[in-house]
């Protein structure tokens, strides 16, 4: 069987990560951190996660005409993602994210979208075949256009939470939200006919249809180092597992394990697991 084709339309960022003992409260200064830079962005993370787990992946996005772009795209390029749909916009810098990561792996993220906000509907192909994954770090009219042009399975990761047209929620075959995002959307999350996955961090995730729970899974026990990218891995893994025809419970277990593995390592893209790693931890 040939690997499923997934197109990701979404954000590409360079992450600047300060790791400290605790996260700052509003107005507080935390000292003693170490600084690192990693390729990130929810779209790019989901694209690379899907590829490492076994999909054929095309990325559509926008970066600036600057040196951050090369750094932000380096692991996608090395990972064999089709980047023909990633354009360069001279009017804005490459997207950047400032992350604070605490000892227990929790994080806070501030995103400076830059060129991610320059992805317009005209940058999309007329028809998007195969499966499509979207998140909410790019303009909503571009998301709407991508959904309208998709001929196959559509997954929308509702992160970060934002008011989006109900038509997007209704068309999605799979909506994915964390606890806070699920609270933000409330009952309208469950109005469509697609599946809805809600993640509960280290407590696992549930899969729902029309508001009724169809599956629940827990992640394997891990020691969290940095949770950045765990949600993105979950999105890619659940989409791929469902495309492969895995049963809901099995697909959710696969996605929880993939997300958990991501949290065991530092950085977004360097920590994305391979298929063999996920199958290995599931077999334990
Ligand atoms: O989901 C994690 C990602 O969110 C980070 O890589 C950061 O770039 C932000 O987009």
């Amino acid at each position: 069987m040939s690997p499923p084709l997934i197109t990701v339309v979404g954000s590409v960022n360079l992450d600047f990560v300060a790791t400290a003992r605790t996260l700052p409260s509003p107005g507080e200064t935390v000292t003693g951190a170490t600084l690192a830079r990693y390729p990130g962005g929810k779209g790019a993370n989901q694209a690379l996660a899907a590829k490492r787990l076994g999909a054929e992946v095309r990325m559509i996005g926008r970066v600036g005409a600057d040196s951050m772009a090369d750094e932000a795209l380096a692991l996608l390029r090395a990972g064999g993602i089709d980047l023909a749909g990633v354009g360069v916009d001279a009017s804005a810098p490459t997207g950047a994210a400032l992350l604070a990561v605490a000892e227990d792996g929790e994080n806070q993220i501030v995103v400076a979208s830059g060129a991610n906000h320059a992805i317009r509907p005209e940058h999309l192909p007329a028809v998007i075949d195969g499966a499509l994954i979207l998140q909410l770090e790019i303009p909503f009219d571009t998301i709407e256009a991508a959904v309208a042009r998709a001929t196959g399975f559509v997954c929308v990761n509702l992160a970060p939470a934002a008011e989006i047209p109900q038509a997007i929620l209704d068309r999605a075959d799979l909506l994915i939200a964390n606890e806070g995002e699920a609270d933000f959307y409330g009952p309208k999350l469950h109005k469509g006919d697609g599946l809805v996955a809600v993640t509960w961090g280290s407590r696992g995730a549930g899969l729902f249809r029309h508001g009724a729970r169809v599956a629940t899974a827990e992640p394997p026990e891990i020691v969290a180092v940095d949770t950045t990218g765990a949600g993105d891995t979950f999105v890619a893994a659940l989409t791929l597992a469902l495309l492969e025809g895995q049963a809901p419970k099995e697909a959710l277990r696969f996605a929880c394990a993939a997300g958990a593995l991501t949290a065991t390592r530092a950085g977004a893209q360097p920590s994305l697991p391979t298929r063999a790693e996920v199958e290995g931890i599931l077999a334990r």
Side-chain angles (χ1 to χ4, degrees), residues 8-231:
V8 178
V9 179
S11 54
V12 176
N13 291 336
L14 186 61
D15 290 353
F16 296 84
V17 184
T19 304
R21 210 166 51 74
T22 56
L23 298 178
S25 315
E28 188 192 358
T29 300
V30 170
T31 57
T34 54
L35 182 69
R37 304 152 67 112
Y38 303 106
K42 294 187 194 306
N45 298 344
Q46 291 171 17
L48 189 58
K51 178 74 182 172
R52 288 197 183 155
L53 294 171
E56 210 40 62
V57 183
R58 285 192 306 216
M59 176 84 207
I60 297 178
R62 222 81 189 143
V63 291
D66 51 35
S67 60
M68 287 203 306
D70 285 336
E71 209 176 330
L73 292 172
L75 293 184
L76 297 186
R77 199 164 272 135
I81 309 281
D82 177 348
L83 296 178
V86 178
V88 176
D89 190 292
S91 68
T94 297
L98 307 182
L99 289 90
V101 176
E103 237 170 31
D104 63 359
E106 273 311 313
N107 65 23
Q108 286 173 344
I109 308 181
V110 177
V111 175
S113 299
N116 292 305
H117 272 180
I119 313 175
R120 307 297 315 144
E122 55 269 29
H123 299 133
L124 303 174
V127 173
I128 301 177
D129 50 2
L132 170 67
I133 297 182
L134 296 149
Q135 335 68 39
L136 309 186
E137 288 187 325
I138 60 170
F140 300 152
D141 56 344
T142 305
I143 294 173
E144 239 181 325
V147 163
R149 294 175 201 189
T151 58
F153 188 93
V154 174
C155 167
V156 183
N157 173 210
L158 296 164
E163 289 295 349
I164 55 167
Q166 183 69 37
I168 297 175
L169 300 176
D170 292 346
R171 165 60 180 88
D173 298 288
L174 174 63
L175 292 171
I176 301 180
N178 67 19
E179 262 175 312
E181 291 151 2
D183 286 347
F184 175 89
Y185 290 97
K188 60 184 170 188
L189 202 55
H190 299 284
K191 273 193 181 157
D193 292 329
L195 286 165
V196 177
V198 179
T199 60
W200 301 308
S202 60
R203 287 174 289 119
L207 201 55
F208 301 80
R209 197 186 295 275
H210 299 139
R213 194 184 294 204
V214 296
T216 307
E218 284 176 16
E221 270 191 32
I222 51 111
V223 177
V225 169
D226 176 1
T227 55
T228 311

